Amino acid sequence: MTELHLALTDFVEYPQDEMLRRAADNYQALKRRHSIRKFSDRQVPRAIIEQCLLAAGTAPNGANHQPWHFVAIASPEIKAQIRLEAEALEQAFYDGRAGEEWLDALKPLGTDANKAYLEHAPWLIAIFSQKRSGAGEGDKSNYYVHESVGIATGFLIQALHHAGLGTLTHTPKPMSFLSKICRRDRDNERPYMLLVVGYPAEDATVPEHAIRKKALAQISTFL
Ligand code: IYR
């Protein structure tokens, strides 16, 4: 049996000079994305977050099982609970659990166990990966789960940046506490990442270390 395929009608072709300009413009736009660690408490409408989640949901993924779930949190009570648990874990991390080499690597970023942004930012998006589809969806195995959720997370960060929002990828370790708080405590699902989303604070800064990117020749080889 052949499966139904549709004609590709929404591919857009550009002249190559325009293609180059678009590629360069996109690089310049992405260069302006920085991890934000000080957020304003200015509100961001839910409709904007919804469009960005729809963009994330278009990511290429294994067998189109879309092995992800996004929990968008605006509730001050839930954000406070996440901050409390994350800061306790981070305190243990910075007090030595990370090990000397890791702590040295973080020094240029100036990070510490204080995670005030978890309460200040208007939105936290907890991203969950699904090893298997939920029982309601046929209890199927999922494929390339890490790759799929990683790409969707990249799409989400890009969408939020494009919309004009600041983000931070935050990965308190271990992240299992998020399952209960986010009411996603189920066998097939694991917390993947916490994204902090909102306007940067007026006095937000970017570590000089973070804007030094490797040269093209270091990150690529053309054969
Ligand atoms: N999760 C900790 C530590 C941390 C780890 C890495 I790798 C970073 O690039 C930044 C921070 C924290 O959020 O402080």
Side-chain angles (χ1 to χ4, degrees), residues 150-163:
I151 297 168
T153 300
F155 274 33
L156 179 56
I157 294 168
Q158 193 281 338
L160 291 161
H161 174 65
H162 184 71

Side-chain angles (χ1 to χ4, degrees), residues 37 90 93-94 102 106 109 111-115 117 168-173:
R37 294 187 175 83
E90 297 290 358
F93 175 91
Y94 284 98
W102 197 348
L106 293 179
L109 299 178
T111 54
D112 59 29
N114 177 8
K115 302 300 175 197
Y117 49 70
L168 178 68
T169 52
H170 181 51
T171 50
K173 227 178 142 177

Side-chain angles (χ1 to χ4, degrees), residues 85-86 89-90 97 126-128 170-182 190-195:
E85 299 223 29
L89 290 168
E90 297 290 358
R97 202 171 49 78
I127 303 164
F128 291 84
H170 181 51
T171 50
K173 227 178 142 177
M175 266 190 299
S176 39
F177 74 93
L178 283 173
S179 300
K180 256 206 183 72
I181 299 183
C182 295
R190 296 278 174 276
Y192 181 82
M193 189 174 283
L194 189 60
L195 262 194

Side-chain angles (χ1 to χ4, degrees), residues 29 40 68 134:
S40 150
W68 43 64

Side-chain angles (χ1 to χ4, degrees), residues 28-45:
Q28 291 307 320
L30 285 178
K31 248 176 101 173
R32 293 189 296 96
R33 185 211 56 82
H34 307 291
S35 290
I36 301 301
R37 294 187 175 83
K38 201 158 179 198
F39 283 85
S40 150
D41 61 5
R42 274 169 81 187
Q43 292 307 294
V44 171

Side-chain angles (χ1 to χ4, degrees), residues 36-156:
I36 301 301
R37 294 187 175 83
K38 201 158 179 198
F39 283 85
S40 150
D41 61 5
R42 274 169 81 187
Q43 292 307 294
V44 171
R46 170 174 164 163
I48 297 170
I49 303 299
E50 286 177 347
Q51 289 301 313
C52 294
L53 292 175
L54 285 167
T58 68
N61 66 90
N64 199 31
H65 287 189
Q66 304 161 62
W68 43 64
H69 189 85
F70 303 93
V71 179
I73 302 155
S75 153
E77 294 76 27
I78 298 177
K79 287 192 289 183
Q81 214 181 333
I82 290 177
R83 178 183 178 184
L84 195 74
E85 299 223 29
E87 282 187 337
L89 290 168
E90 297 290 358
Q91 195 61 60
F93 175 91
Y94 284 98
D95 283 349
R97 202 171 49 78
E100 202 180 332
E101 187 180 354
W102 197 348
L103 291 177
D104 275 351
L106 293 179
K107 270 191 191 134
L109 299 178
T111 54
D112 59 29
N114 177 8
K115 302 300 175 197
Y117 49 70
L118 293 175
E119 278 189 273
H120 293 165
W123 291 98
L124 303 180
I125 304 178
I127 303 164
F128 291 84
S129 65
Q130 301 174 330
K131 278 192 299 195
R132 301 183 66 78
S133 303
E137 296 163 280
D139 189 29
K140 296 174 296 195
S141 201
N142 288 336
Y143 308 100
Y144 298 103
V145 171
H146 243 72
E147 293 83 347
S148 301
V149 182
I151 297 168
T153 300
F155 274 33
L156 179 56

